[in-house]
Coordinates of all heavy atoms in Angstrom, one line a residue:
M297 N -1.5 5.3 17.3 CA -1.4 5.7 16.0 C -2.8 6.1 15.5 O -2.9 6.7 14.5 CB -0.9 4.6 15.1 CG 0.6 4.4 15.2 SD 1.3 3.4 14.0 CE 0.2 3.0 12.8
L298 N -3.8 5.7 16.2 CA -5.1 6.0 15.8 C -5.3 7.6 15.6 O -4.9 8.4 16.5 CB -6.1 5.5 16.8 CG -7.7 5.8 16.5 CD1 -8.0 4.9 15.4 CD2 -8.5 5.3 17.7
G299 N -5.9 8.0 14.5 CA -6.1 9.5 14.2 C -4.9 10.1 13.6 O -5.0 11.3 13.4
R300 N -3.8 9.4 13.3 CA -2.7 10.1 12.7 C -2.6 10.0 11.2 O -1.7 10.6 10.6 CB -1.3 9.5 13.3 CG -1.1 9.8 14.8 CD 0.3 9.3 15.2 NE 0.3 9.4 16.5 CZ 1.4 9.1 17.2 NH1 2.5 8.7 16.6 NH2 1.5 9.2 18.5
Q301 N -3.4 9.3 10.6 CA -3.4 9.0 9.2 C -3.4 10.4 8.4 O -4.1 11.2 8.7 CB -4.6 8.2 8.7 CG -4.4 7.9 7.2 CD -5.6 6.9 6.8 OE1 -6.4 6.5 7.6 NE2 -5.5 6.5 5.5
S302 N -2.5 10.5 7.5 CA -2.2 11.6 6.6 C -1.6 12.8 7.2 O -1.4 13.8 6.6 CB -3.6 12.1 5.9 OG -4.2 11.1 5.0
Q303 N -1.1 12.7 8.6 CA -0.4 13.7 9.1 C 1.1 13.4 8.7 O 1.5 12.4 8.3 CB -0.5 13.6 10.7 CG -1.8 14.0 11.2 CD -1.9 14.0 12.7 OE1 -1.0 13.6 13.4 NE2 -3.1 14.3 13.2
Y304 N 2.0 14.5 8.8 CA 3.3 14.4 8.5 C 4.1 13.4 9.4 O 3.8 13.4 10.6 CB 4.0 15.7 8.6 CG 3.5 16.7 7.5 CD1 3.2 17.9 7.9 CD2 3.3 16.3 6.3 CE1 2.7 18.9 7.0 CE2 2.8 17.2 5.2 CZ 2.6 18.5 5.7 OH 2.0 19.4 4.7
L305 N 5.0 12.6 8.9 CA 5.7 11.6 9.6 C 7.2 12.1 9.3 O 7.6 12.3 8.3 CB 5.5 10.2 9.0 CG 6.2 9.0 9.6 CD1 5.8 8.9 11.1 CD2 6.0 7.8 8.8
E306 N 7.9 12.1 10.5 CA 9.3 12.6 10.4 C 10.2 11.5 9.7 O 11.1 11.8 9.2 CB 9.9 12.9 11.9 CG 9.2 14.1 12.5 CD 9.6 14.3 13.9 OE1 10.6 13.7 14.3 OE2 9.0 15.2 14.6
G307 N 9.8 10.3 10.0 CA 10.6 9.1 9.3 C 10.1 7.8 9.8 O 9.3 7.8 10.7
P308 N 10.5 6.8 9.3 CA 10.1 5.4 9.6 C 10.3 5.1 11.1 O 9.5 4.4 11.7 CB 10.8 4.5 8.8 CG 11.3 5.3 7.6 CD 11.5 6.6 8.1
A309 N 11.3 5.7 11.7 CA 11.7 5.4 13.2 C 10.5 5.8 14.0 O 10.1 5.3 15.0 CB 12.9 6.0 13.6
Q310 N 9.9 7.0 13.6 CA 8.9 7.6 14.5 C 7.6 6.7 14.4 O 7.0 6.4 15.4 CB 8.4 9.0 13.9 CG 7.3 9.7 14.7 CD 6.9 11.0 14.0 OE1 7.0 11.2 12.9 NE2 6.3 11.8 14.9
R311 N 7.2 6.0 13.2 CA 6.2 5.2 13.1 C 6.5 4.0 13.8 O 5.6 3.4 14.6 CB 6.0 4.8 11.6 CG 5.0 3.9 11.3 CD 5.2 3.0 10.0 NE 6.6 2.4 10.1 CZ 7.4 2.3 9.0 NH1 7.1 2.7 7.8 NH2 8.5 1.8 9.1
D312 N 7.7 3.3 13.8 CA 8.0 2.2 14.5 C 7.8 2.3 16.0 O 7.3 1.3 16.6 CB 9.5 1.7 14.2 CG 9.6 1.4 12.6 OD1 8.6 1.2 11.9 OD2 10.8 1.2 12.2
V313 N 8.3 3.4 16.5 CA 8.1 3.6 17.9 C 6.7 3.6 18.3 O 6.3 3.1 19.4 CB 8.9 5.0 18.5 CG1 8.4 5.4 19.8 CG2 10.4 4.8 18.4
A314 N 5.8 4.3 17.5 CA 4.4 4.4 17.8 C 3.7 3.1 17.8 O 2.7 2.8 18.4 CB 3.8 5.4 16.8
I315 N 4.2 2.2 16.9 CA 3.6 0.8 16.7 C 4.0 -0.2 17.8 O 3.3 -1.1 18.0 CB 3.9 0.3 15.2 CG1 3.2 1.1 14.2 CG2 3.6 -1.1 15.2 CD1 3.6 0.7 12.8
E316 N 5.2 0.0 18.3 CA 5.8 -1.0 19.2 C 4.9 -1.3 20.4 O 4.6 -2.5 20.6 CB 7.1 -0.4 19.6 CG 7.9 -1.5 20.5 CD 9.3 -1.0 20.8 OE1 9.7 0.0 20.4 OE2 10.0 -1.8 21.6
A317 N 4.4 -0.4 21.2 CA 3.7 -0.8 22.3 C 2.3 -1.4 22.1 O 2.0 -2.4 22.6 CB 3.5 0.5 23.2
P318 N 1.5 -0.9 21.2 CA 0.3 -1.6 20.8 C 0.5 -3.0 20.3 O -0.2 -3.8 20.5 CB -0.4 -0.7 19.7 CG 0.2 0.7 20.0 CD 1.6 0.5 20.4
L319 N 1.5 -3.1 19.4 CA 1.9 -4.4 18.8 C 2.2 -5.4 20.0 O 1.8 -6.6 20.0 CB 3.0 -4.3 17.8 CG 3.4 -5.7 17.1 CD1 2.2 -6.2 16.4 CD2 4.5 -5.3 16.2
N320 N 3.0 -5.1 21.0 CA 3.4 -5.9 22.0 C 2.1 -6.3 22.8 O 2.1 -7.5 23.2 CB 4.4 -5.2 23.0 CG 5.8 -5.1 22.4 OD1 6.1 -5.9 21.5 ND2 6.5 -4.1 22.9
L321 N 1.1 -5.4 23.0 CA -0.1 -5.7 23.8 C -0.8 -6.8 23.0 O -1.3 -7.7 23.7 CB -1.0 -4.5 23.9 CG -0.6 -3.5 25.0 CD1 -1.4 -2.3 25.0 CD2 -0.6 -4.2 26.4
V322 N -1.0 -6.7 21.7 CA -1.8 -7.7 21.0 C -1.1 -9.0 20.9 O -1.6 -10.0 21.0 CB -2.0 -7.1 19.5 CG1 -2.6 -8.1 18.5 CG2 -2.9 -5.9 19.6
E323 N 0.3 -8.9 20.8 CA 1.1 -10.3 20.7 C 0.9 -11.0 22.1 O 0.9 -12.2 22.2 CB 2.5 -10.0 20.5 CG 2.7 -9.5 19.0 CD 4.2 -9.2 18.7 OE1 5.0 -8.9 19.6 OE2 4.6 -9.2 17.5
Q324 N 0.9 -10.2 23.2 CA 0.7 -10.9 24.6 C -0.7 -11.3 24.7 O -1.0 -12.3 25.5 CB 1.2 -9.8 25.5 CG 2.6 -9.6 25.7 CD 2.9 -8.5 26.6 OE1 2.2 -8.1 27.4 NE2 4.2 -8.0 26.5
D325 N -1.7 -10.6 24.2 CA -3.2 -10.9 24.5 C -3.9 -10.8 23.1 O -4.5 -9.8 22.8 CB -3.8 -10.1 25.5 CG -5.2 -10.5 25.8 OD1 -5.7 -11.5 25.3 OD2 -5.8 -9.8 26.7
P326 N -3.9 -12.0 22.2 CA -4.5 -11.8 20.9 C -6.0 -11.6 21.0 O -6.5 -11.2 20.1 CB -4.2 -13.2 20.3 CG -2.9 -13.7 21.1 CD -3.0 -13.2 22.4
S327 N -6.5 -11.9 22.2 CA -8.1 -11.7 22.3 C -8.4 -10.3 22.2 O -9.6 -9.9 22.1 CB -8.5 -12.2 23.6 OG -8.0 -11.5 24.7
L328 N -7.4 -9.3 22.2 CA -7.8 -7.9 22.1 C -8.2 -7.5 20.7 O -8.8 -6.5 20.4 CB -6.5 -7.1 22.5 CG -6.1 -7.1 23.9 CD1 -4.6 -6.3 24.0 CD2 -7.1 -6.4 24.7
V329 N -8.0 -8.4 19.7 CA -8.3 -8.2 18.3 C -9.7 -9.0 18.1 O -9.8 -10.1 18.4 CB -7.3 -8.8 17.4 CG1 -7.8 -8.7 15.9 CG2 -6.0 -8.1 17.5
D330 N -10.7 -8.3 17.7 CA -12.1 -8.8 17.5 C -12.0 -9.9 16.5 O -11.3 -9.8 15.5 CB -12.9 -7.7 16.9 CG -14.3 -8.1 16.9 OD1 -14.7 -9.1 16.4 OD2 -15.2 -7.2 17.4
K331 N -12.6 -11.0 16.9 CA -12.5 -12.2 16.0 C -13.2 -12.0 14.7 O -12.9 -12.8 13.8 CB -13.3 -13.4 16.7 CG -12.5 -13.8 17.9 CD -13.1 -15.1 18.5 CE -12.4 -15.6 19.8 NZ -10.9 -15.8 19.6
S332 N -14.0 -11.0 14.5 CA -14.7 -10.7 13.2 C -13.8 -10.0 12.2 O -14.1 -9.9 11.0 CB -16.0 -9.9 13.4 OG -15.6 -8.6 13.9
W333 N -12.5 -9.6 12.8 CA -11.6 -8.9 11.7 C -11.1 -9.9 10.9 O -10.8 -11.0 11.2 CB -10.5 -8.2 12.6 CG -10.9 -6.9 13.2 CD1 -12.2 -6.5 13.5 CD2 -10.2 -5.9 13.8 NE1 -12.3 -5.3 14.1 CE2 -10.9 -4.9 14.3 CE3 -8.8 -5.8 13.8 CZ2 -10.4 -3.8 14.8 CZ3 -8.2 -4.6 14.5 CH2 -9.1 -3.7 15.0
T334 N -10.8 -9.5 9.6 CA -10.3 -10.5 8.6 C -9.1 -9.9 8.0 O -9.0 -8.7 7.7 CB -11.3 -10.7 7.5 OG1 -12.6 -11.2 8.1 CG2 -10.8 -11.7 6.5
L335 N -8.1 -10.6 7.8 CA -6.8 -10.2 7.2 C -6.8 -10.7 5.7 O -7.0 -11.8 5.6 CB -5.6 -10.7 8.0 CG -4.3 -10.5 7.4 CD1 -3.9 -9.0 7.3 CD2 -3.2 -11.2 8.1
Y336 N -6.5 -9.8 4.9 CA -6.5 -10.2 3.5 C -5.0 -9.9 3.0 O -4.6 -8.8 3.3 CB -7.4 -9.4 2.6 CG -8.8 -9.8 2.8 CD1 -9.7 -8.9 3.6 CD2 -9.4 -10.9 2.2 CE1 -11.0 -9.2 3.9 CE2 -10.7 -11.2 2.5 CZ -11.6 -10.3 3.4 OH -12.9 -10.6 3.6
T337 N -4.4 -10.8 2.3 CA -3.1 -10.6 1.7 C -3.3 -10.5 0.1 O -3.8 -11.6 -0.4 CB -2.1 -11.7 2.0 OG1 -2.0 -11.7 3.5 CG2 -0.7 -11.5 1.4
L338 N -2.9 -9.4 -0.4 CA -3.0 -9.2 -1.9 C -1.7 -9.6 -2.5 O -0.6 -9.2 -2.1 CB -3.5 -7.9 -2.2 CG -4.8 -7.3 -1.6 CD1 -5.0 -5.9 -2.0 CD2 -5.9 -8.2 -2.1
A339 N -1.7 -10.3 -3.8 CA -0.6 -10.5 -4.5 C -0.9 -10.1 -5.9 O -1.2 -10.9 -6.8 CB -0.3 -12.0 -4.5
P340 N -0.9 -8.8 -6.2 CA -1.4 -8.3 -7.5 C -0.4 -8.7 -8.6 O 0.8 -8.9 -8.4 CB -1.2 -6.7 -7.3 CG -0.3 -6.6 -6.2 CD -0.4 -7.7 -5.3
T341 N -1.0 -8.8 -9.7 CA -0.2 -9.1 -11.0 C -0.2 -7.9 -11.9 O 0.5 -8.0 -13.0 CB -0.6 -10.4 -11.7 OG1 -2.0 -10.2 -12.0 CG2 -0.3 -11.6 -10.8
S342 N -0.9 -6.9 -11.6 CA -1.1 -5.7 -12.4 C -1.4 -4.6 -11.6 O -2.4 -4.7 -10.8 CB -2.1 -6.0 -13.6 OG -2.3 -4.8 -14.3
V343 N -0.7 -3.4 -11.9 CA -1.0 -2.2 -11.2 C -0.9 -1.0 -12.1 O 0.1 -1.1 -12.9 CB -0.1 -2.0 -9.9 CG1 -0.4 -0.6 -9.2 CG2 -0.1 -3.1 -8.9
E344 N -1.8 0.0 -12.0 CA -1.6 1.1 -12.9 C -1.6 2.4 -12.1 O -2.4 2.5 -11.2 CB -2.8 1.1 -14.0 CG -2.7 2.3 -14.9 CD -3.8 2.3 -15.9 OE1 -4.4 1.2 -16.3 OE2 -4.2 3.4 -16.3
F345 N -0.7 3.2 -12.4 CA -0.5 4.6 -11.9 C -0.8 5.6 -13.1 O -0.4 5.4 -14.1 CB 0.8 4.8 -11.2 CG 1.1 3.9 -10.2 CD1 1.9 2.8 -10.4 CD2 0.7 4.1 -8.9 CE1 2.2 1.8 -9.4 CE2 1.0 3.3 -7.9 CZ 1.7 2.2 -8.0
W346 N -1.4 6.7 -12.6 CA -1.6 7.7 -13.7 C -1.5 9.0 -13.0 O -1.8 9.3 -12.0 CB -2.8 7.6 -14.5 CG -4.2 7.7 -13.8 CD1 -4.8 6.7 -13.2 CD2 -4.9 8.9 -13.7 NE1 -5.9 7.3 -12.5 CE2 -6.0 8.6 -12.9 CE3 -4.8 10.2 -14.2 CZ2 -7.1 9.6 -12.7 CZ3 -5.7 11.2 -13.9 CH2 -6.8 10.8 -13.2
Q347 N -1.0 10.0 -13.9 CA -1.0 11.4 -13.4 C -1.7 12.2 -14.4 O -1.5 12.2 -15.6 CB 0.5 11.9 -13.4 CG 0.6 13.3 -13.0 CD 2.1 13.8 -12.8 OE1 3.0 13.0 -13.2 NE2 2.3 15.0 -12.4
A348 N -2.7 13.0 -13.9 CA -3.6 13.7 -14.7 C -3.0 14.9 -15.4 O -1.9 15.5 -14.9 CB -4.8 14.3 -13.9
D349 N -3.4 15.3 -16.5 CA -2.9 16.4 -17.2 C -4.1 17.3 -17.8 O -5.1 16.8 -18.1 CB -2.1 15.9 -18.5 CG -1.6 17.0 -19.3 OD1 -0.4 17.3 -19.1 OD2 -2.2 17.4 -20.3
A350 N -4.0 18.5 -17.6 CA -5.1 19.4 -18.0 C -5.6 19.3 -19.4 O -6.8 19.4 -19.7 CB -4.6 20.9 -17.7
S351 N -4.7 18.9 -20.3 CA -5.1 18.7 -21.7 C -5.6 17.3 -21.9 O -5.9 16.9 -23.1 CB -3.9 19.0 -22.6 OG -2.9 18.0 -22.5
R352 N -5.8 16.5 -20.9 CA -6.2 15.1 -20.9 C -5.2 14.2 -21.5 O -5.5 13.0 -21.9 CB -7.5 15.0 -21.5 CG -8.7 15.7 -20.7 CD -10.0 15.6 -21.2 NE -10.5 14.2 -21.4 CZ -11.1 13.5 -20.4 NH1 -11.4 14.0 -19.3 NH2 -11.5 12.2 -20.7
A353 N -3.9 14.6 -21.7 CA -2.9 13.7 -22.1 C -2.2 13.2 -20.9 O -1.0 13.3 -20.7 CB -1.9 14.4 -22.9
H354 N -3.0 12.3 -20.2 CA -2.5 11.8 -18.9 C -1.4 10.8 -19.1 O -1.3 10.2 -20.1 CB -3.7 11.0 -18.3 CG -5.0 11.8 -18.2 ND1 -5.0 13.0 -17.6 CD2 -6.2 11.3 -18.5 CE1 -6.4 13.3 -17.7 NE2 -7.0 12.3 -18.3
T355 N -0.5 10.9 -18.1 CA 0.7 9.9 -18.2 C 0.1 8.6 -17.3 O -0.3 8.7 -16.2 CB 1.9 10.5 -17.5 OG1 2.3 11.7 -18.1 CG2 3.0 9.5 -17.3
R356 N 0.1 7.5 -18.1 CA -0.3 6.3 -17.4 C 0.8 5.3 -17.5 O 1.4 5.0 -18.6 CB -1.5 5.8 -18.2 CG -2.7 6.6 -18.1 CD -3.9 6.2 -18.9 NE -4.2 4.8 -18.6 CZ -4.9 4.0 -19.4 NH1 -5.1 4.3 -20.6 NH2 -5.0 2.7 -18.9
L357 N 1.1 4.7 -16.3 CA 2.1 3.6 -16.2 C 1.5 2.4 -15.7 O 0.8 2.4 -14.8 CB 3.2 4.0 -15.2 CG 4.1 5.2 -15.6 CD1 5.0 5.7 -14.4 CD2 4.8 5.0 -16.8
N358 N 1.8 1.3 -16.4 CA 1.3 0.0 -16.1 C 2.4 -0.9 -15.7 O 3.4 -1.1 -16.3 CB 0.5 -0.7 -17.2 CG 0.0 -2.1 -16.9 OD1 0.7 -3.0 -17.3 ND2 -1.1 -2.1 -16.2
Y359 N 2.4 -1.5 -14.5 CA 3.2 -2.5 -14.0 C 2.6 -3.9 -13.9 O 1.5 -4.0 -13.4 CB 3.7 -2.2 -12.5 CG 4.7 -0.9 -12.6 CD1 4.1 0.4 -12.6 CD2 6.0 -1.0 -12.5 CE1 4.8 1.5 -12.6 CE2 6.8 0.1 -12.6 CZ 6.2 1.4 -12.6 OH 7.0 2.4 -12.5
E360 N 3.1 -4.8 -14.5 CA 2.6 -6.1 -14.6 C 3.6 -7.3 -14.5 O 4.8 -7.1 -14.8 CB 1.7 -6.3 -15.7 CG 2.5 -6.2 -17.1 CD 1.5 -6.2 -18.3 OE1 0.3 -6.1 -18.1 OE2 2.1 -6.2 -19.5
R361 N 3.1 -8.5 -14.0 CA 4.0 -9.7 -13.9 C 3.1 -10.8 -14.1 O 1.8 -10.7 -13.9 CB 4.8 -9.7 -12.6 CG 3.9 -9.5 -11.4 CD 4.7 -9.5 -10.1 NE 3.7 -9.3 -9.0 CZ 4.3 -9.3 -7.7 NH1 5.6 -9.2 -7.5 NH2 3.5 -9.1 -6.7
N362 N 3.7 -11.9 -14.6 CA 2.8 -13.1 -14.8 C 2.3 -13.8 -13.6 O 1.3 -14.4 -13.6 CB 3.6 -14.1 -15.7 CG 3.9 -13.5 -17.2 OD1 3.0 -12.7 -17.6 ND2 5.0 -13.9 -17.8
T363 N 3.2 -13.9 -12.6 CA 2.9 -14.5 -11.3 C 3.4 -13.6 -10.1 O 4.1 -12.6 -10.4 CB 3.7 -15.8 -11.1 OG1 5.0 -15.7 -11.1 CG2 3.2 -16.8 -12.1
A364 N 2.8 -13.9 -8.9 CA 3.1 -13.0 -7.8 C 4.6 -13.0 -7.4 O 5.0 -12.1 -6.8 CB 2.3 -13.4 -6.6
D365 N 5.4 -13.9 -7.8 CA 6.8 -13.9 -7.5 C 7.7 -13.6 -8.7 O 8.9 -13.5 -8.5 CB 7.2 -15.2 -6.9 CG 6.9 -16.4 -7.8 OD1 6.3 -16.3 -8.8 OD2 7.4 -17.5 -7.5
A366 N 7.1 -13.2 -9.8 CA 7.8 -12.8 -11.0 C 8.3 -11.4 -10.9 O 7.6 -10.5 -10.2 CB 6.9 -13.0 -12.3
P367 N 9.3 -11.0 -11.7 CA 9.7 -9.5 -11.6 C 8.6 -8.7 -12.3 O 8.0 -9.2 -13.3 CB 11.0 -9.5 -12.4 CG 11.1 -10.8 -13.1 CD 10.2 -11.8 -12.4
W368 N 8.6 -7.4 -11.9 CA 7.6 -6.5 -12.5 C 8.2 -6.0 -13.8 O 9.4 -5.6 -13.9 CB 7.4 -5.2 -11.6 CG 6.6 -5.6 -10.3 CD1 7.1 -5.9 -9.1 CD2 5.1 -5.7 -10.3 NE1 6.1 -6.1 -8.3 CE2 4.8 -6.0 -8.9 CE3 4.2 -5.5 -11.2 CZ2 3.6 -6.1 -8.5 CZ3 2.9 -5.7 -10.7 CH2 2.6 -6.0 -9.4
E369 N 7.4 -5.8 -14.8 CA 7.7 -5.1 -16.1 C 6.8 -3.9 -16.1 O 5.8 -3.9 -15.5 CB 7.3 -5.9 -17.2 CG 8.1 -7.2 -17.3 CD 7.8 -8.0 -18.6 OE1 7.0 -7.5 -19.5 OE2 8.1 -9.2 -18.6
H370 N 7.3 -2.8 -16.6 CA 6.5 -1.5 -16.7 C 6.3 -1.1 -18.1 O 7.2 -1.2 -19.0 CB 7.0 -0.5 -15.8 CG 8.3 0.1 -16.1 ND1 9.5 -0.6 -15.8 CD2 8.7 1.2 -16.8 CE1 10.6 0.2 -16.2 NE2 10.0 1.2 -16.9
H371 N 5.2 -0.4 -18.3 CA 4.9 0.0 -19.7 C 4.3 1.3 -19.6 O 3.5 1.5 -18.7 CB 4.0 -0.9 -20.5 CG 4.5 -2.4 -20.5 ND1 5.4 -2.8 -21.4 CD2 4.3 -3.5 -19.7 CE1 5.8 -4.1 -21.1 NE2 5.0 -4.4 -20.1
L372 N 4.5 2.2 -20.5 CA 3.7 3.5 -20.7 C 2.5 3.2 -21.5 O 2.5 2.6 -22.6 CB 4.7 4.5 -21.4 CG 4.1 5.9 -21.5 CD1 3.8 6.6 -20.1 CD2 5.1 6.8 -22.3
L373 N 1.4 3.7 -21.1 CA 0.0 3.5 -21.7 C -0.4 4.7 -22.4 O -0.1 5.8 -22.0 CB -0.9 2.9 -20.8 CG -0.6 1.6 -19.9 CD1 -1.8 1.4 -19.0 CD2 -0.6 0.5 -20.9
W374 N -1.2 4.5 -23.5 CA -1.8 5.6 -24.2 C -2.8 6.2 -23.1 O -3.4 5.5 -22.4 CB -2.5 5.2 -25.4 CG -1.6 5.0 -26.6 CD1 -1.0 3.8 -27.0 CD2 -1.2 6.0 -27.4 NE1 -0.3 4.2 -28.0 CE2 -0.4 5.4 -28.4 CE3 -1.6 7.4 -27.6 CZ2 0.2 6.0 -29.5 CZ3 -1.0 8.0 -28.7 CH2 -0.1 7.5 -29.5
P375 N -3.1 7.6 -23.2 CA -4.0 8.2 -22.3 C -5.4 7.6 -22.3 O -5.8 7.2 -23.2 CB -3.9 9.7 -22.6 CG -2.7 9.9 -23.4 CD -2.4 8.6 -24.0

């Protein structure tokens, strides 16, 4: 999969096939992963998306929740 980022993907099955062999290697020999690598798991409680507009009347959407396991609420924000 190295070097494929941002290339077109035919579908999730193509990705899964490409991941399968390297994943099996790492599962069989965890020492292949450098010990200095760190895994972070994020549990956001707020995310904002926006779409630019030439007149600067951007569309902004905010998704938020009180806790990591709460349902998301979404709101339209002023530009």
Side-chain angles (χ1 to χ4, degrees):
M297 286 194 12
L298 185 63
R300 293 187 188 180
Q301 186 172 2
S302 299
Q303 292 181 1
Y304 295 132
L305 179 64
E306 292 176 16
Q310 182 186 23
R311 178 206 54 217
D312 295 345
V313 168
I315 291 174
E316 187 176 352
L319 182 59
N320 287 338
L321 283 174
V322 170
E323 287 175 343
Q324 291 173 12
D325 186 1
S327 70
L328 293 172
V329 177
D330 191 307
K331 291 190 185 299
S332 66
W333 285 16
T334 304
L335 172 67
Y336 295 97
T337 301
L338 302 178
T341 56
S342 177
V343 180
E344 182 178 327
F345 298 96
W346 64 275
Q347 182 176 2
D349 182 90
S351 68
R352 298 184 55 91
H354 311 309
T355 299
R356 295 177 56 206
L357 296 173
N358 176 263
Y359 290 80
E360 58 189 12
R361 56 188 178 178
N362 293 330
T363 62
D365 58 349
W368 289 98
E369 296 180 13
H370 66 278
H371 307 279
L372 184 61
L373 302 175
W374 281 92

